[in-house]
Amino acid sequence: MALDNIHVEQSMMSTAVSRSSDVHSAIMDYEKQLTGIADMVKSVWGGRAKVAFDQKHQEIRGYLGVNSQDADSISQGTSQALNISVGADDDAYSIINAINGH
């Protein structure tokens, strides 16, 4: 039945929501660890090396922030699509049940 395909798609969307959320969390954890390492290095280094390192670290943090936001947006968008799909699935079953007299 065609509605069986909807359940497969919903399962895949649920997996996508979970995995994109995991990616978001992993990026945030990595950024936190990287910042800890950067703080240690900056406490030892001085002068121009410290400034150059800090600038590069801030640049990398910016990239990680964008990637993290993208992963979070993917998770939220997929979650919304899943909710719409579940609602459509429920509506389709209601219509079928009405047609069948249930």
Side-chain angles (χ1 to χ4, degrees):
M1 179 176 209
L3 292 177
D4 292 335
N5 291 336
I6 291 173
H7 293 295
V8 171
E9 307 250 343
Q10 289 172 352
S11 174
M12 289 181 200
M13 283 191 277
S14 292
T15 299
V17 169
S18 176
R19 288 189 179 156
S20 57
S21 180
D22 290 346
V23 167
H24 175 258
S25 295
I27 292 171
M28 296 302 293
D29 288 344
Y30 178 75
E31 193 277 329
K32 183 189 278 185
Q33 291 174 4
L34 184 63
T35 297
I37 292 168
D39 289 345
M40 280 192 311
V41 170
K42 289 188 296 185
S43 72
V44 175
W45 288 4
R48 290 185 1 209
K50 178 179 180 178
V51 171
F53 180 84
D54 191 44
Q55 287 173 342
K56 185 52 80 174
H57 174 247
Q58 294 305 320
E59 181 182 335
I60 292 169
R61 278 188 72 194
Y63 295 141
L64 290 173
V66 169
N67 289 337
S68 174
Q69 290 171 355
D70 288 349
D72 190 44
S73 294
I74 290 168
S75 178
Q76 290 179 15
T78 306
S79 181
Q80 286 179 320
L82 174 60
N83 291 338
I84 291 168
S85 178
V86 168
D89 190 27
D90 291 345
D91 291 346
Y93 275 109
S94 294
I95 292 169
I96 290 169
N97 287 335
I99 291 170
N100 290 330
H102 295 288

